Amino acid sequence: MHDRFTLNIGEGANITLIDLPIDNLPGFHHFLSSWLIVDKTLDRVSLVDVGPASTVPVLVKNIEELGISKLDLILLTHVHLDHSGGLGQLLEVFGSARVLVHPKGKKHLVNPDRLWKSSVDVLGDVALAYGRPIPVSESCFLPEDVGLDRIAKIETPGHASHHYSFLCDLELKVLFAGEAAGTYYKRGFAYPGISDGTFILRPATPPKFYLDSALSSIKKLKALGADYMCYAHFGYTDEVNKFLDLEERQLLHWNDLILDYLSDHQGLSVDPEDVAYYLIERDPLLSDFSHLPEDIKIREMGNILSSVNGFLDYLSKTI
């Protein structure tokens, strides 16, 4: 397993995956991450997502160990606590960095009170372990219409209405997809086991989820022709369109499976955990679930339940 993994993108750039573990949450290692982009051609250092507040010391330590003393850009895919919660604390260390975030999310970083309350209501102890975000000054943000050399932002709602993906042209095209392409865990890289190519792919569809938006976002990403796709959770692939196709089919498959489940249980109360196991038994992209270490299995069941609840909420409005 790697706590930090660097991928060289030609002579002019490299990208580094930084693991942001939380020791007091079961399985919360090789799950949260930031991506550091060193663009030597432009002499620019960027960071995609910052993780939660509680992992900022780990993030800063890793950045400094890589010989980086200054950040130029922070690119936020969205403002959920596990992606943006540490922004204020990180800017106390790298104060010259400027932040690009969707305008719908920016207000929750300037005043994070509502973000924090809703996170605690939904995530409970997980939110408390992530830590409370602190306010970020308006002056730290780039304007919405800013143009950045070699970086394009793409609106990719579905996981969240304020979700951006970023395409970086670094000799090769590197796509930072956040959670727009689901979550990806490869055995031997993101969890212990033999490095045999086995992986889990899972939708990231918490409430409020809209299937049409998620599918439209994947189509946008497929049209980009990226050479690498970097996931927020966790790792990367150089088979970009293969995995975008898989996630597109998986979303449709979950939709069909949950509709079948609801049809078979008409008039009965729906137990999201029962739906989760129904999916695990029938989705081949979750076939490695039973082989997960127990701590990661606990973590992943919580995330699968969140995704199930997103689908159930969506379907309650469409059927």
Side-chain angles (χ1 to χ4, degrees):
M1 293 192 298
H2 299 272
D3 296 324
R4 192 169 69 216
F5 179 87
T6 296
L7 185 64
N8 292 316
I9 308 295
E11 295 182 0
N14 61 62
I15 59 175
T16 300
L17 169 63
I18 300 173
D19 178 30
L20 303 173
I22 298 180
D23 293 339
N24 61 343
L25 287 178
F28 277 70
H29 55 85
H30 303 89
F31 171 62
L32 307 173
S33 70
S34 286
W35 285 95
L36 187 75
I37 309 165
V38 177
D39 186 340
K40 300 172 187 175
T41 302
L42 295 180
D43 191 26
R44 183 178 66 195
V45 180
S46 307
L47 193 70
V48 180
D49 290 339
V50 302
S54 62
T55 62
V56 167
V58 173
L59 178 59
V60 171
K61 179 175 183 288
N62 274 270
I63 292 171
E64 291 176 343
E65 286 178 352
L66 289 164
I68 304 298
S69 59
K70 178 175 176 288
L71 289 179
D72 299 297
L73 289 175
I74 296 173
L75 309 172
L76 295 179
T77 60
H78 56 300
V79 304
H80 293 167
L81 284 189
D82 53 333
H83 297 261
S84 78
L87 179 62
Q89 288 88 342
L90 188 68
L91 288 169
E92 290 180 337
V93 181
F94 298 105
S96 63
R98 289 298 170 260
V99 182
L100 182 59
V101 67
H102 197 287
K104 289 182 181 178
K106 175 184 167 184
K107 62 186 178 183
H108 297 296
L109 301 174
V110 174
N111 181 358
D113 289 349
R114 184 177 169 190
L115 173 64
W116 175 242
K117 182 181 184 305
S118 63
S119 298
V120 172
D121 289 346
V122 172
L123 299 175
D125 289 343
V126 172
L128 297 178
Y130 282 166
R132 184 166 189 154
I134 62 175
V136 177
S137 169
E138 286 268 6
S139 64
C140 294
F141 294 94
L142 291 170
E144 179 187 353
D145 59 354
V146 68
L148 296 173
D149 288 345
R150 293 157 62 101
I151 296 176
K153 68 179 189 291
I154 304 100
E155 291 222 27
T156 46
H159 173 76
S161 63
H162 61 278
H163 194 290
Y164 277 153
S165 297
F166 299 98
L167 183 70
C168 298
D169 192 350
L170 305 168
E171 298 183 32
L172 296 173
K173 292 182 179 179
V174 183
L175 171 62
F176 296 90
E179 293 182 74
T183 59
Y184 167 78
Y185 308 106
K186 187 174 182 181
R187 191 192 295 209
F189 185 77
Y191 61 93
I194 301 169
S195 184
D196 59 1
T198 304
F199 64 89
I200 281 179
L201 191 68
R202 170 180 58 75
T205 58
K208 304 287 185 176
F209 166 67
Y210 296 94
L211 180 59
D212 290 347
S213 295
L215 294 173
S216 175
S217 293
I218 289 174
K219 285 183 170 60
K220 285 184 187 179
L221 297 180
K222 285 198 285 189
L224 297 173
D227 298 292
Y228 288 95
M229 180 164 62
C230 298
Y231 292 86
H233 314 284
F234 183 90
Y236 74 95
T237 181
D238 59 2
E239 299 178 285
V240 179
N241 275 19
K242 170 187 171 180
F243 278 89
L244 288 170
D245 284 339
L246 284 173
E247 180 57 16
E248 182 179 51
R249 293 201 296 269
Q250 186 179 42
L251 287 168
L252 292 168
H253 190 40
W254 273 41
N255 190 68
D256 290 343
L257 285 173
I258 296 173
L259 283 173
D260 289 344
Y261 178 94
L262 294 174
S263 178
D264 292 341
H265 292 76
Q266 284 185 16
L268 302 174
S269 60
V270 175
D271 179 356
E273 187 168 337
D274 191 38
V275 178
Y277 281 111
Y278 184 86
L279 292 170
I280 290 168
E281 291 168 1
R282 290 163 176 79
D283 182 354
L285 297 178
L286 299 179
S287 61
D288 207 40
F289 183 84
S290 63
H291 302 295
L292 291 174
E294 282 305 311
D295 62 339
I296 297 181
K297 195 180 292 184
I298 291 168
R299 181 198 79 204
E300 280 305 289
M301 179 51 73
N303 288 317
I304 290 172
L305 284 171
S306 174
S307 293
V308 165
N309 283 325
F311 258 99
L312 291 173
D313 178 69
Y314 162 73
L315 290 171
S316 71
K317 300 167 184 172
T318 60
I319 60 175

